[in-house]
Amino acid sequence: KAGVTQTPRYLIKTRGQQVTLSCSPISGHRSVSWYQQTPGQGLQFLFEYFSETQRNKGNFPGRFSGRQFSNSRSEMNVSTLELGDSALYLCASSYTPQAEEAFFGQGTRLTVV
Amino acid sequence: SQQGEEDPQALSIQEGENATMNCSYKTSINNLQWYRQNSGRGLVHLILIRSNEREKHSGRLRVTLDTSKKSSSLLITASRAADTASYFCATDTMDSNYQLIWGAGTKLIIKP
């Protein structure tokens, strides 16, 4: 069974640009969560999707958005990038939001210059 | 906001020794989980302990939970170089709609 796949693995963008990150969950998993990880702030929850609906949203500005498709794949978009958006973005999938184990992808390392 | 806080922030021990990490949280929980993250990579689930459990074992891992003190500990026995990683606790509550809330992590270094 393939694991959670995040693309791209690395990305360098310029301030003001926008970026789209992709996450393909494990087959059969319908819940996808996104996290931002930085050395100073640790893991910060961005949002969670289940069956194409956003269930939870973290405390991030509106520049951060996401969506989930009917095949459970998810994308997150960050518009008007700022230097502070440089981080490792992690995606996790599970069967349901209440599942007892989340499976993480390797992450996308975003650097904003 | 962060629910859990790990202690210590960093820990360096000799291979073969035991490593203990602690996690404290603020509100009543449903479950508490521990994850491991190797440098700059994704997290791997280690063990889950429910709020009505006090202790759980998995191989060289032992987790305890004290709901009266709102704290948990992760013990890794007979440490190996491959255990070098960051360890995070995560809690979920009904109030948070089962969203996982994470601690800041403990960076563990095993010296050969």
Side-chain angles (χ1 to χ4, degrees), chain A residues 95-107:
Chain A
Y95 283 108
T96 67
Q98 293 90 346
E100 294 185 344
E101 180 176 352
F103 295 81
F104 281 80
Q106 296 293 324

mmCIF file with all atom_site columns, all heavy atoms in Angstrom, chain A residues 95-107:
data_model
loop_
_atom_site.group_PDB
_atom_site.id
_atom_site.type_symbol
_atom_site.label_atom_id
_atom_site.label_alt_id
_atom_site.label_comp_id
_atom_site.label_asym_id
_atom_site.label_entity_id
_atom_site.label_seq_id
_atom_site.pdbx_PDB_ins_code
_atom_site.Cartn_x
_atom_site.Cartn_y
_atom_site.Cartn_z
_atom_site.occupancy
_atom_site.B_iso_or_equiv
_atom_site.pdbx_formal_charge
_atom_site.auth_seq_id
_atom_site.auth_comp_id
_atom_site.auth_asym_id
_atom_site.auth_atom_id
_atom_site.pdbx_PDB_model_num
ATOM 1   N N   . TYR A 1 95  ? -8.346  7.241  8.006  1.00 0.00 ? 95  TYR A N   1
ATOM 2   C CA  . TYR A 1 95  ? -9.631  6.768  7.481  1.00 0.00 ? 95  TYR A CA  1
ATOM 3   C C   . TYR A 1 95  ? -10.736 7.782  7.765  1.00 0.00 ? 95  TYR A C   1
ATOM 4   O O   . TYR A 1 95  ? -11.530 8.128  6.903  1.00 0.00 ? 95  TYR A O   1
ATOM 5   C CB  . TYR A 1 95  ? -9.994  5.423  8.102  1.00 0.00 ? 95  TYR A CB  1
ATOM 6   C CG  . TYR A 1 95  ? -9.237  4.252  7.504  1.00 0.00 ? 95  TYR A CG  1
ATOM 7   C CD1 . TYR A 1 95  ? -8.239  3.613  8.220  1.00 0.00 ? 95  TYR A CD1 1
ATOM 8   C CD2 . TYR A 1 95  ? -9.531  3.802  6.221  1.00 0.00 ? 95  TYR A CD2 1
ATOM 9   C CE1 . TYR A 1 95  ? -7.541  2.554  7.667  1.00 0.00 ? 95  TYR A CE1 1
ATOM 10  C CE2 . TYR A 1 95  ? -8.841  2.740  5.661  1.00 0.00 ? 95  TYR A CE2 1
ATOM 11  C CZ  . TYR A 1 95  ? -7.846  2.124  6.385  1.00 0.00 ? 95  TYR A CZ  1
ATOM 12  O OH  . TYR A 1 95  ? -7.155  1.069  5.838  1.00 0.00 ? 95  TYR A OH  1
ATOM 13  N N   . THR A 1 96  ? -10.773 8.225  9.013  1.00 0.00 ? 96  THR A N   1
ATOM 14  C CA  . THR A 1 96  ? -11.790 9.195  9.435  1.00 0.00 ? 96  THR A CA  1
ATOM 15  C C   . THR A 1 96  ? -11.125 10.212 10.347 1.00 0.00 ? 96  THR A C   1
ATOM 16  O O   . THR A 1 96  ? -10.018 9.988  10.816 1.00 0.00 ? 96  THR A O   1
ATOM 17  C CB  . THR A 1 96  ? -12.933 8.515  10.218 1.00 0.00 ? 96  THR A CB  1
ATOM 18  O OG1 . THR A 1 96  ? -12.399 8.041  11.467 1.00 0.00 ? 96  THR A OG1 1
ATOM 19  C CG2 . THR A 1 96  ? -13.534 7.362  9.444  1.00 0.00 ? 96  THR A CG2 1
ATOM 20  N N   . PRO A 1 97  ? -11.792 11.330 10.626 1.00 0.00 ? 97  PRO A N   1
ATOM 21  C CA  . PRO A 1 97  ? -11.202 12.318 11.536 1.00 0.00 ? 97  PRO A CA  1
ATOM 22  C C   . PRO A 1 97  ? -10.957 11.768 12.928 1.00 0.00 ? 97  PRO A C   1
ATOM 23  O O   . PRO A 1 97  ? -10.052 12.218 13.625 1.00 0.00 ? 97  PRO A O   1
ATOM 24  C CB  . PRO A 1 97  ? -12.253 13.431 11.556 1.00 0.00 ? 97  PRO A CB  1
ATOM 25  C CG  . PRO A 1 97  ? -12.957 13.298 10.252 1.00 0.00 ? 97  PRO A CG  1
ATOM 26  C CD  . PRO A 1 97  ? -13.008 11.816 9.975  1.00 0.00 ? 97  PRO A CD  1
ATOM 27  N N   . GLN A 1 98  ? -11.759 10.796 13.348 1.00 0.00 ? 98  GLN A N   1
ATOM 28  C CA  . GLN A 1 98  ? -11.588 10.247 14.690 1.00 0.00 ? 98  GLN A CA  1
ATOM 29  C C   . GLN A 1 98  ? -10.653 9.049  14.722 1.00 0.00 ? 98  GLN A C   1
ATOM 30  O O   . GLN A 1 98  ? -10.518 8.396  15.746 1.00 0.00 ? 98  GLN A O   1
ATOM 31  C CB  . GLN A 1 98  ? -12.951 9.822  15.275 1.00 0.00 ? 98  GLN A CB  1
ATOM 32  C CG  . GLN A 1 98  ? -13.890 10.969 15.553 1.00 0.00 ? 98  GLN A CG  1
ATOM 33  C CD  . GLN A 1 98  ? -14.771 11.286 14.366 1.00 0.00 ? 98  GLN A CD  1
ATOM 34  O OE1 . GLN A 1 98  ? -14.517 10.822 13.264 1.00 0.00 ? 98  GLN A OE1 1
ATOM 35  N NE2 . GLN A 1 98  ? -15.801 12.074 14.593 1.00 0.00 ? 98  GLN A NE2 1
ATOM 36  N N   . ALA A 1 99  ? -10.011 8.752  13.606 1.00 0.00 ? 99  ALA A N   1
ATOM 37  C CA  . ALA A 1 99  ? -9.122  7.593  13.551 1.00 0.00 ? 99  ALA A CA  1
ATOM 38  C C   . ALA A 1 99  ? -7.990  7.750  14.565 1.00 0.00 ? 99  ALA A C   1
ATOM 39  O O   . ALA A 1 99  ? -7.567  8.861  14.876 1.00 0.00 ? 99  ALA A O   1
ATOM 40  C CB  . ALA A 1 99  ? -8.556  7.435  12.152 1.00 0.00 ? 99  ALA A CB  1
ATOM 41  N N   . GLU A 1 100 ? -7.499  6.647  15.026 1.00 0.00 ? 100 GLU A N   1
ATOM 42  C CA  . GLU A 1 100 ? -6.517  6.669  16.108 1.00 0.00 ? 100 GLU A CA  1
ATOM 43  C C   . GLU A 1 100 ? -5.089  6.794  15.633 1.00 0.00 ? 100 GLU A C   1
ATOM 44  O O   . GLU A 1 100 ? -4.177  6.825  16.451 1.00 0.00 ? 100 GLU A O   1
ATOM 45  C CB  . GLU A 1 100 ? -6.696  5.428  16.965 1.00 0.00 ? 100 GLU A CB  1
ATOM 46  C CG  . GLU A 1 100 ? -8.025  5.434  17.687 1.00 0.00 ? 100 GLU A CG  1
ATOM 47  C CD  . GLU A 1 100 ? -8.184  4.267  18.631 1.00 0.00 ? 100 GLU A CD  1
ATOM 48  O OE1 . GLU A 1 100 ? -7.421  3.294  18.520 1.00 0.00 ? 100 GLU A OE1 1
ATOM 49  O OE2 . GLU A 1 100 ? -9.090  4.332  19.485 1.00 0.00 ? 100 GLU A OE2 1
ATOM 50  N N   . GLU A 1 101 ? -4.872  6.839  14.353 1.00 0.00 ? 101 GLU A N   1
ATOM 51  C CA  . GLU A 1 101 ? -3.509  6.996  13.860 1.00 0.00 ? 101 GLU A CA  1
ATOM 52  C C   . GLU A 1 101 ? -3.536  7.810  12.583 1.00 0.00 ? 101 GLU A C   1
ATOM 53  O O   . GLU A 1 101 ? -4.346  7.549  11.695 1.00 0.00 ? 101 GLU A O   1
ATOM 54  C CB  . GLU A 1 101 ? -2.876  5.636  13.595 1.00 0.00 ? 101 GLU A CB  1
ATOM 55  C CG  . GLU A 1 101 ? -1.444  5.716  13.075 1.00 0.00 ? 101 GLU A CG  1
ATOM 56  C CD  . GLU A 1 101 ? -0.810  4.345  12.919 1.00 0.00 ? 101 GLU A CD  1
ATOM 57  O OE1 . GLU A 1 101 ? -1.416  3.352  13.341 1.00 0.00 ? 101 GLU A OE1 1
ATOM 58  O OE2 . GLU A 1 101 ? 0.301   4.287  12.352 1.00 0.00 ? 101 GLU A OE2 1
ATOM 59  N N   . ALA A 1 102 ? -2.674  8.799  12.512 1.00 0.00 ? 102 ALA A N   1
ATOM 60  C CA  . ALA A 1 102 ? -2.527  9.594  11.299 1.00 0.00 ? 102 ALA A CA  1
ATOM 61  C C   . ALA A 1 102 ? -1.222  9.200  10.620 1.00 0.00 ? 102 ALA A C   1
ATOM 62  O O   . ALA A 1 102 ? -0.211  8.939  11.279 1.00 0.00 ? 102 ALA A O   1
ATOM 63  C CB  . ALA A 1 102 ? -2.513  11.087 11.639 1.00 0.00 ? 102 ALA A CB  1
ATOM 64  N N   . PHE A 1 103 ? -1.266  9.137  9.308  1.00 0.00 ? 103 PHE A N   1
ATOM 65  C CA  . PHE A 1 103 ? -0.097  8.766  8.521  1.00 0.00 ? 103 PHE A CA  1
ATOM 66  C C   . PHE A 1 103 ? 0.385   10.010 7.780  1.00 0.00 ? 103 PHE A C   1
ATOM 67  O O   . PHE A 1 103 ? -0.377  10.644 7.053  1.00 0.00 ? 103 PHE A O   1
ATOM 68  C CB  . PHE A 1 103 ? -0.461  7.666  7.514  1.00 0.00 ? 103 PHE A CB  1
ATOM 69  C CG  . PHE A 1 103 ? -0.852  6.378  8.175  1.00 0.00 ? 103 PHE A CG  1
ATOM 70  C CD1 . PHE A 1 103 ? -2.131  6.183  8.677  1.00 0.00 ? 103 PHE A CD1 1
ATOM 71  C CD2 . PHE A 1 103 ? 0.068   5.341  8.310  1.00 0.00 ? 103 PHE A CD2 1
ATOM 72  C CE1 . PHE A 1 103 ? -2.494  5.004  9.304  1.00 0.00 ? 103 PHE A CE1 1
ATOM 73  C CE2 . PHE A 1 103 ? -0.291  4.150  8.925  1.00 0.00 ? 103 PHE A CE2 1
ATOM 74  C CZ  . PHE A 1 103 ? -1.569  3.980  9.423  1.00 0.00 ? 103 PHE A CZ  1
ATOM 75  N N   . PHE A 1 104 ? 1.650   10.318 7.972  1.00 0.00 ? 104 PHE A N   1
ATOM 76  C CA  . PHE A 1 104 ? 2.193   11.550 7.423  1.00 0.00 ? 104 PHE A CA  1
ATOM 77  C C   . PHE A 1 104 ? 2.978   11.322 6.141  1.00 0.00 ? 104 PHE A C   1
ATOM 78  O O   . PHE A 1 104 ? 3.633   10.283 5.967  1.00 0.00 ? 104 PHE A O   1
ATOM 79  C CB  . PHE A 1 104 ? 3.132   12.219 8.436  1.00 0.00 ? 104 PHE A CB  1
ATOM 80  C CG  . PHE A 1 104 ? 2.413   12.967 9.513  1.00 0.00 ? 104 PHE A CG  1
ATOM 81  C CD1 . PHE A 1 104 ? 1.864   12.295 10.590 1.00 0.00 ? 104 PHE A CD1 1
ATOM 82  C CD2 . PHE A 1 104 ? 2.278   14.346 9.432  1.00 0.00 ? 104 PHE A CD2 1
ATOM 83  C CE1 . PHE A 1 104 ? 1.190   12.994 11.589 1.00 0.00 ? 104 PHE A CE1 1
ATOM 84  C CE2 . PHE A 1 104 ? 1.607   15.042 10.424 1.00 0.00 ? 104 PHE A CE2 1
ATOM 85  C CZ  . PHE A 1 104 ? 1.072   14.364 11.494 1.00 0.00 ? 104 PHE A CZ  1
ATOM 86  N N   . GLY A 1 105 ? 2.931   12.315 5.266  1.00 0.00 ? 105 GLY A N   1
ATOM 87  C CA  . GLY A 1 105 ? 3.812   12.347 4.119  1.00 0.00 ? 105 GLY A CA  1
ATOM 88  C C   . GLY A 1 105 ? 5.171   12.897 4.528  1.00 0.00 ? 105 GLY A C   1
ATOM 89  O O   . GLY A 1 105 ? 5.386   13.282 5.685  1.00 0.00 ? 105 GLY A O   1
ATOM 90  N N   . GLN A 1 106 ? 6.097   12.937 3.575  1.00 0.00 ? 106 GLN A N   1
ATOM 91  C CA  . GLN A 1 106 ? 7.455   13.421 3.854  1.00 0.00 ? 106 GLN A CA  1
ATOM 92  C C   . GLN A 1 106 ? 7.507   14.933 3.935  1.00 0.00 ? 106 GLN A C   1
ATOM 93  O O   . GLN A 1 106 ? 8.492   15.496 4.398  1.00 0.00 ? 106 GLN A O   1
ATOM 94  C CB  . GLN A 1 106 ? 8.423   12.941 2.771  1.00 0.00 ? 106 GLN A CB  1
ATOM 95  C CG  . GLN A 1 106 ? 8.586   11.434 2.705  1.00 0.00 ? 106 GLN A CG  1
ATOM 96  C CD  . GLN A 1 106 ? 9.278   10.894 3.947  1.00 0.00 ? 106 GLN A CD  1
ATOM 97  O OE1 . GLN A 1 106 ? 10.160  11.527 4.505  1.00 0.00 ? 106 GLN A OE1 1
ATOM 98  N NE2 . GLN A 1 106 ? 8.872   9.727  4.392  1.00 0.00 ? 106 GLN A NE2 1
ATOM 99  N N   . GLY A 1 107 ? 6.474   15.587 3.479  1.00 0.00 ? 107 GLY A N   1
ATOM 100 C CA  . GLY A 1 107 ? 6.420   17.036 3.581  1.00 0.00 ? 107 GLY A CA  1
ATOM 101 C C   . GLY A 1 107 ? 6.932   17.746 2.336  1.00 0.00 ? 107 GLY A C   1
ATOM 102 O O   . GLY A 1 107 ? 7.645   17.162 1.506  1.00 0.00 ? 107 GLY A O   1
#
